[in-house]
Amino acid sequence: MTPRSFWAILIKILGCYILLQTLAAVPQFLTTILLFTAQGINSYGNSGLFIEVAYLVIIALVYFYLFRLCIFKTDVIIDKLQLDAGYQDERFEFNIHRSTLLKIAVIVMGGVLIIDSVPLLLQQVLTYLQQSHAIAYNKFTDGPTAKYIVLYFIKTSIGVFMLTSSRLIVNVIELKRKSPAGESTIE
């Protein structure tokens, strides 16, 4: 393994972590927008709502750009930061293939996502059930915790998908490296 391929793997793992953090930030964005629209229009007017939504969109675009840069443009980062310069040895001796290392990272991140979201999902389901007995809701969406139940269910499902389909995810990540002519952009 060359220093360049080592840094490429590390940057791609960082990109997967950024995606994981983006998924964790989605509930905060939605909560902020919902609370602001419910209460903020009366206090701040429509301009305050526009500023808040614009701010959240800019943050989402920065997350997306960093994710795209880390996953699909690793060569640009390595070249700009000169991460592969200054090594005495041209090769590192690891007995693990790049795709195997990425697969392990995807599995670990999927496990972390499940460990993070399942307790919150169960807590929200329990809260919904307790509240639904005290207050008669006509529909599931009438409950205040329904949005969080759906959100944590989606996060848990993504974690399970990452665990069960790690090979597919690694193939998508490595798609850029494998060019149609058979050339490898990362040595």
Side-chain angles (χ1 to χ4, degrees):
M1 176 181 291
T2 63
R4 186 170 192 84
S5 62
F6 170 76
W7 285 110
I9 290 170
L10 197 62
I11 291 170
K12 287 183 183 202
I13 290 172
L14 178 67
C16 291
Y17 182 73
I18 288 172
L19 178 64
L20 186 67
Q21 292 304 311
T22 303
L23 293 175
V26 167
Q28 296 169 357
F29 287 160
L30 293 177
T31 302
T32 302
I33 290 173
L34 291 174
L35 288 176
F36 195 79
T37 55
Q39 298 172 357
I41 291 177
N42 297 333
S43 304
Y44 301 107
N46 288 335
S47 64
L49 176 63
F50 175 74
I51 291 170
E52 186 70 25
V53 170
Y55 175 71
L56 294 175
V57 167
I58 289 170
I59 290 174
L61 289 174
V62 168
Y63 269 113
F64 176 74
Y65 177 74
L66 288 174
F67 166 73
R68 186 173 173 268
L69 192 66
C70 287
I71 294 294
F72 299 113
K73 305 282 185 181
T74 55
D75 291 333
V76 172
I77 295 173
I78 292 171
D79 292 339
K80 290 285 184 190
L81 297 177
Q82 299 176 353
L83 295 175
D84 60 344
Y87 286 98
Q88 301 296 332
D89 295 331
E90 193 58 34
R91 299 197 62 76
F92 294 146
E93 293 302 322
F94 290 123
N95 292 331
I96 189 166
H97 193 266
R98 169 186 20 247
S99 62
T100 305
L101 187 61
L102 285 173
K103 185 176 178 181
I104 291 169
V106 168
I107 289 171
V108 167
M109 285 184 220
V112 168
L113 193 60
I114 288 173
I115 289 170
D116 181 52
S117 63
V118 167
L120 295 172
L121 173 66
L122 295 176
Q123 176 189 14
Q124 294 299 327
V125 167
L126 181 63
T127 303
Y128 176 79
L129 291 175
Q130 288 173 344
Q131 289 177 353
S132 67
H133 289 300
I135 304 168
Y137 296 125
N138 293 335
K139 297 185 288 185
F140 173 73
T141 57
D142 290 343
T145 60
K147 297 173 199 83
Y148 294 108
I149 291 172
V150 171
L151 180 73
Y152 293 130
F153 178 76
I154 291 171
K155 283 177 70 173
T156 303
S157 300
I158 290 171
V160 169
F161 177 75
M162 288 175 74
L163 284 177
T164 58
S165 302
S166 59
R167 173 55 48 199
L168 176 69
I169 295 169
V170 169
N171 286 342
V172 169
I173 291 171
E174 291 283 352
L175 188 65
K176 175 77 172 149
R177 187 180 69 85
K178 299 174 183 175
S179 64
E183 300 175 26
S184 177
T185 57
I186 299 175
E187 295 288 325

